[in-house]
Amino acid sequence: MGPHQSTIFAATLTLLLAASMQAQRRIDLTQDVRGVLQVAHADASAAAGDRAASSNGTGQPGVYRDKHSIDVRDWGVDCTGTKDAAAILNSHTNVQDGISGQRISIPNGCVIKLVTDQWQIYGNEGWEVEGVGILARNPLIEYCGPSGRDSVLKIERSGGWTIKGVNIQDGGPGCRNTTPNGVVVDNDRSGGYTTTDGKFDRVFITPVGSPSNWIGVNIAPVSASNTEDMRFYDSYIGCGGGAGAVGVNLGSSFNAKMEDFSHTQIVQCPGGGITQVNGGMLLRGMDTFGNNGDVVLGYRS
């Protein structure tokens, strides 16, 4: 091999080695840098149109996630409104860390019927339940269950959560019972997390008919501490005009502070749109009618 040929061979080998090192570096970076689209490894393929999840170690195969949210139908929930959904939902959400850090999706047109029990979410943090909006009245969570339950939806010992774009209805055609509250948010059970930082966003909450002393959202009816920083944005709470019915009740928790209401309608609540026993509150842009007092302040407010 002549000097000129040796030089060409050496240069070619250098380029090949550099390209190989660059390709290896690209694969390692896709594993180690969060948010960068991953290159498919020989032993795994990325799901089309899905978010990629990274592994923590250099040289390890990437970890892939099939979906960025959980559709309730994946759990086996019936969306036609004919079969009970409470048992399936509670097997996932009424369990410590059963849905922590997860987004639960309810598809457009889905009717979730609660026949055997209320829907309970306990001991979970950083979760979101999301539907498509409130204008079409679907997705719908409908209570048609036994007597003696305190609410359609109950959230206990859970923090950093969002309920978004769903309609919660207490009662319905053919349902014998209603509950005294649409939603209860409390902090009186043991375990789990401190109930704080919850958000209702584009949520529609109403009873069927005009039940007396009904409460749309009851915050801290039992707990004497926490259950704080609850927010209501772009939502609608209607009481149906029943005697003594209240839209939102802020209970006796000593630090139910920074409850925030923005661009939310609270209507037909003869007991008061918002009643407040204790704590501090921010209120702006509330549209009301049919309330006997839009804001009724308690002696410790």
Side-chain angles (χ1 to χ4, degrees):
M1 181 181 297
H4 182 66
Q5 291 175 314
S6 298
T7 302
I8 294 174
F9 177 78
T12 303
L13 182 61
T14 300
L15 289 172
L16 288 173
L17 288 173
S20 175
M21 291 177 64
Q22 184 177 8
Q24 179 62 40
R25 182 171 179 271
R26 286 185 63 192
I27 292 176
D28 287 342
L29 280 175
T30 58
Q31 294 175 16
D32 298 335
V33 181
R34 190 178 300 273
V36 177
L37 291 177
Q38 291 190 332
V39 177
H41 294 266
D43 57 344
S45 59
D50 187 25
R51 297 180 182 179
S54 306
S55 65
N56 294 323
T58 302
Q60 296 178 1
V63 179
Y64 297 91
R65 180 171 56 189
D66 290 334
K67 296 183 179 180
H68 70 278
S69 64
I70 299 171
D71 190 310
V72 292
R73 295 170 296 184
D74 295 337
W75 287 342
V77 169
D78 170 45
C79 270
T80 68
T82 58
K83 297 180 181 179
D84 174 54
I88 294 174
L89 290 172
N90 289 331
S91 70
H92 294 276
T93 66
N94 196 25
V95 178
Q96 173 82 43
D97 292 323
I99 59 168
S100 286
Q102 298 183 23
R103 177 184 296 168
I104 313 304
S105 174
I106 306 176
N108 184 29
C110 181
V111 178
I112 293 178
K113 197 163 188 174
L114 308 176
V115 179
T116 59
D117 207 343
Q118 65 188 163
W119 185 359
Q120 302 177 57
I121 301 177
Y122 159 76
N124 287 278
E125 196 159 48
W127 51 267
E128 181 174 337
V129 171
E130 182 176 11
V132 295
I134 66 174
L135 296 181
R137 302 293 181 93
N138 280 320
L140 174 66
I141 302 168
E142 178 186 73
Y143 186 81
C144 197
S147 62
R149 303 301 188 266
D150 61 359
S151 58
V152 179
L153 172 65
K154 187 167 187 176
I155 302 170
E156 272 275 5
R157 296 291 292 170
S158 298
W161 47 265
T162 298
I163 302 285
K164 182 177 181 180
V166 298
N167 301 276
I168 299 171
Q169 179 176 287
D170 195 355
C175 300
R176 297 182 178 180
N177 302 303
T178 57
T179 63
N181 307 279
V183 180
V184 166
V185 182
D186 218 337
N187 193 62
D188 59 302
R189 288 177 63 177
S190 61
Y193 303 92
T194 300
T195 303
T196 185
D197 187 18
K199 183 191 297 184
F200 295 89
D201 183 357
R202 291 177 172 82
V203 175
F204 196 101
I205 303 173
T206 56
V208 170
S210 304
S212 299
N213 302 313
W214 187 80
I215 299 175
V217 181
N218 203 345
I219 296 176
V222 177
S223 177
S225 64
N226 301 118
T227 325
E228 58 199 358
D229 295 309
M230 299 297 148
R231 286 158 287 168
F232 297 78
Y233 297 155
D234 305 316
S235 294
Y236 178 101
I237 300 171
C239 299
V246 169
V248 178
N249 178 63
L250 305 180
S252 59
S253 172
F254 77 89
N255 58 347
K257 57 184 180 292
M258 294 296 289
E259 313 308 304
D260 188 7
F261 298 83
S262 177
H263 198 261
T264 290
Q265 296 184 59
I266 302 179
V267 301
Q268 294 184 308
C269 302
I274 302 171
T275 62
Q276 185 178 30
V277 177
N278 200 5
M281 177 175 64
L282 302 174
L283 175 64
R284 54 191 182 273
M286 185 172 77
D287 186 12
T288 71
F289 69 89
N291 303 331
N292 185 12
D294 293 331
V295 178
V296 180
L297 300 178
Y299 70 98
R300 291 188 293 176
S301 298

